[in-house]
Amino acid sequence: MQKRIPERQCVGCQELKQKRSMVRVVLTPEGEILIDATGKRAGRGAYICPDQACFDRAKKRRSLDRGLKTSVSLEIYDQLAAIVAATSVGRGSGA
Ligand SMILES: [Zn+2]
């Protein structure tokens, strides 16, 4: 039997996607918010597709704040924007 692929809900588009294909933002037990490239940090996580449209929606709605149940600084959103931009390169979102 194949293992079930873990899925998580994107805070932007609200769709369930494969965890591995997503970017995880974590609220550590110390109260620090980090973008978790390894996906293995302890803490409450929120997931987003590395997609500009998802990011824009999440930022507009402050969805990460809701997902992590804390206030997420704009600095984190900026860091996430850079990662999303780097990851979604080549999708031709019309520059
Ligand atoms: Zn999404």
Side-chain angles (χ1 to χ4, degrees), residues 20-75:
R20 276 199 335 204
S21 70
M22 305 178 83
V23 179
R24 182 174 188 246
V25 182
V26 67
L27 172 65
T28 68
E30 293 77 35
E32 208 183 344
I33 297 167
L34 302 166
I35 294 168
D36 179 18
T38 66
K40 286 180 179 159
R41 284 244 179 202
R44 170 183 280 275
Y47 292 81
I48 186 165
C49 314
D51 186 287
Q52 192 64 48
C54 291
F55 173 77
D56 288 344
R57 262 201 265 186
K59 188 174 178 183
K60 209 174 286 176
R61 297 182 188 164
R62 307 283 300 188
S63 304
L64 277 179
D65 302 44
R66 283 211 312 242
L68 296 174
K69 295 196 176 15
T70 189
S71 150
V72 177
S73 70
L74 281 177
E75 200 180 308

Side-chain angles (χ1 to χ4, degrees), residues 10 12-14 17 49 54:
C10 170
C13 62
Q14 313 288 314
K17 298 273 174 75
C49 314
C54 291

